C-alpha cells in the first residue's frame, strides 16, 4: 500500500469490492448473513476501518467454506449474528468507534477543566 492509497482509502475500497464480489456467488441466505455481519462489524472499526479488513476476510472465508460444505447459516453462525460479530472483535471489552470518541471527548474536557483551576 502506498501513501496515496493510505490517505484516500482506495486500497480499502478495492478490498471491499473484492469482498462484495466474493459474497455475490454465495447462496441467498449466506449473502443476507454477510450483509448483516458487515453492518454489525463496522461499528467496531477504528476511524478508517483498516483494523476490520482481516476480520471481514476471515468471516467471508468462513461463509464460503460453510456454503461449500452444505451447512446452513444457523449451523455456522447460530441464531445471534450480532453476538457472533461481537465475539469476533473481542466480545464484551470491544469498544465501538462511539466509545472511543466519547473517551477522547471526556479526556479533552477533563484536560480543559483541569487547566482552569
Amino acid at each position: 500500500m502506498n501513501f496515496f492509497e493510505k490517505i484516500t482509502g482506495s486500497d480499502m475500497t478495492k478490498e471491499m469490492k473484492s469482498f462484495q464480489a466474493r459474497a455475490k456467488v454465495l447462496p441467498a441466505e449466506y449473502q443476507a448473513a454477510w450483509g448483516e455481519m458487515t453492518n454489525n462489524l463496522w461499528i467496531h472499526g477504528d476511524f478508517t476501518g483498516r483494523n476490520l479488513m482481516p476480520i471481514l476476510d476471515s468471516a467471508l472465508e468462513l461463509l464460503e467454506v460453510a456454503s461449500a460444505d452444505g451447512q446452513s447459516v444457523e449451523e455456522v453462525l447460530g441464531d445471534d449474528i450480532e453476538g457472533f460479530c461481537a465475539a469476533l472483535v473481542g466480545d464484551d471489552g470491544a469498544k465501538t468507534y462511539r466509545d472511543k470518541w466519547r473517551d477522547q471527548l471526556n479526556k479533552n474536557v477533563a484536560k480543559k477543566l483541569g487547566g482552569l483551576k
Side-chain angles (χ1 to χ4, degrees):
M1 165 179 30
N2 64 33
F3 179 75
F4 180 75
E5 289 176 332
K6 189 168 187 172
I7 296 299
T8 62
S10 63
D11 60 317
M12 288 181 40
T13 302
K14 290 176 190 174
E15 199 164 359
M16 283 307 297
K17 285 182 181 179
S18 167
F19 291 159
Q20 295 305 334
R22 288 169 51 192
K24 279 188 180 182
V25 299
L26 293 172
E29 70 174 344
Y30 282 92
Q31 289 180 25
W34 170 250
E36 194 171 336
M37 288 176 76
T38 55
N39 288 339
N40 285 308
L41 286 172
W42 276 114
I43 63 169
H44 296 287
D46 59 7
F47 181 69
T48 64
R50 288 188 196 288
N51 63 327
L52 290 181
M53 290 298 121
I55 296 171
L56 289 169
D57 185 39
S58 297
L60 184 55
E61 186 176 345
L62 173 68
L63 292 177
E64 290 169 334
V65 169
S67 172
D69 289 345
Q71 295 177 314
S72 71
V73 172
E74 290 79 25
E75 289 176 315
V76 179
L77 304 178
D79 294 335
D80 183 18
I81 292 179
E82 185 176 346
F84 180 83
C85 292
L88 278 178
V89 295
D91 212 8
D92 296 331
K95 289 190 170 189
T96 67
Y97 65 91
R98 291 180 192 110
D99 296 329
K100 294 173 186 175
W101 289 346
R102 186 179 300 116
D103 290 343
Q104 182 180 4
L105 177 65
N106 288 338
K107 287 177 185 175
N108 289 341
V109 169
K111 187 188 300 183
K112 293 289 183 183
L113 291 177
L116 294 176
K117 291 182 181 181

